[in-house]
Amino acid sequence: FELVSGLAGDDGVVGDRIGVLESSRLQIEADGHFELWIGGPERPGNWMPCDQRARCLFVRQTVNDWLTEQPTPMLIERMDRPTPIPRRPALADVQKLYAIAAKNMVDQVRFLDDFAQNWGKILPVNAYPAPSVGPADAGYFPGQYNTKGRWEVPAGKALVITIEPNDAQYQSLALAHPLWFNSLSPRSVQSSITGAQSLASSDGRFRYVIAGEDPGVWNWLDTTGITSGFIFMRFQQLASRTPPGAPHTRLVSLAAVRDEFPADEPRVSPTERQAISRLRRLSADRRYA
């Protein structure tokens, strides 16, 4: 749980972090439920301080296995004032909300455009540094190891990314649009993949393939037809506290992808790919139902 002064782009800034509470410090009852109090006098249990800058409670729920894990349902209730009597909103109130929404949209689009142009200049292409813990005041998940970069994969080529074995409870690789950072049709295609969704090779390493065409391996990241974009790699809750090493990358032809894998790497047929896509779609529908 992260209490911030605004979302990325509101008023042209990332947003100040006011308070944070990770699940490892969350007090949970025996039946699985919990209460979190925000603001007011400090109290025992789950409590986060608040001040006048607070505008948004940002909740990050990591879902590793889309088939079996579900986000925790939550209810938010204002406790410092009586429940208001339902009434039709005044025209002035509605106009004010629309004005705020319009300003936030313009600010966020401008912010993301500047962000993308800057990252397009400074981030490496098809070669990525070792993951490190991102600064908390820049919006990174506390204690999460991250690495990011750009990828450029022309038609007929494939970028093979090899990650050494690690003990992270959660890891993910996600492709993002080169302008807006949004995921590439994540419901219908495998443009992102978690550790639970991945297949480790017989030598224990994870090998992922970024390509616009199906290379016939399990860990395929589908570019959906575009030839460049951003990639984000995340590693959470490493038991050993040892950061993963730098990913190894190699740009090869589609025909040579199999040469980058052990000889016993399973092949994925078109029929099996359809089944994988179906389960992904059903899992996403269930998650956001």
Side-chain angles (χ1 to χ4, degrees), residues 144-249:
Q144 173 180 276
Y145 285 85
N146 313 271
T147 190
K148 58 185 179 291
R150 293 180 293 152
W151 52 269
E152 290 185 0
V153 181
K157 296 288 187 178
L159 183 67
V160 181
I161 301 174
T162 303
I163 297 177
E164 294 296 322
N166 64 82
D167 58 9
Q169 292 189 32
Y170 172 85
Q171 74 174 37
S172 70
L173 284 78
L175 305 185
H177 192 276
L179 291 179
W180 308 117
F181 304 115
N182 59 294
S183 301
L184 307 179
S185 305
R187 174 182 174 272
S188 55
V189 301
Q190 189 169 269
S191 57
S192 66
I193 189 169
T194 68
Q197 296 168 335
S198 302
L199 178 69
S201 296
S202 57
D203 60 3
R205 296 178 174 89
F206 289 96
R207 292 174 173 84
Y208 299 92
V209 179
I210 300 177
E213 300 176 50
D214 191 345
V217 296
W218 185 276
N219 300 336
W220 172 37
L221 289 169
D222 189 346
T223 66
T224 68
I226 65 175
T227 57
S228 66
F230 295 106
I231 184 170
F232 301 92
M233 305 182 201
R234 301 175 174 95
F235 304 84
Q236 295 175 3
Q237 295 180 302
L238 282 87
S240 65
R241 302 289 182 180
T242 301
H248 177 266
T249 59

Side-chain angles (χ1 to χ4, degrees), residues 95-132:
Q95 290 174 329
K96 182 178 179 180
L97 291 175
Y98 273 116
I100 293 173
K103 180 181 183 300
N104 287 347
M105 182 181 70
V106 172
D107 287 346
Q108 289 173 13
V109 169
R110 182 179 293 116
F111 178 87
L112 289 174
D113 180 51
D114 291 343
F115 217 84
Q117 291 193 38
N118 179 56
W119 273 14
K121 296 174 183 177
I122 65 174
L123 290 185
V125 180
N126 294 353
Y128 311 115
S132 61

Side-chain angles (χ1 to χ4, degrees), residues 52-70:
Q52 295 299 319
R53 297 171 298 154
R55 292 176 55 192
C56 179
L57 178 64
F58 192 15
V59 184
R60 302 173 188 256
Q61 296 196 61
T62 299
V63 177
N64 196 29
D65 187 340
W66 291 15
L67 288 171
T68 62
E69 299 175 20
Q70 286 289 294

Side-chain angles (χ1 to χ4, degrees), residues 66-67 186-190 197 273-288:
W66 291 15
L67 288 171
R187 174 182 174 272
S188 55
V189 301
Q190 189 169 269
Q197 296 168 335
R273 185 69 71 193
Q274 286 184 342
I276 294 170
S277 298
R278 174 178 175 270
L279 286 179
R280 183 181 183 90
R281 183 178 68 255
L282 293 176
S283 300
D285 290 349
R286 176 173 176 264
R287 179 178 176 185
Y288 294 107

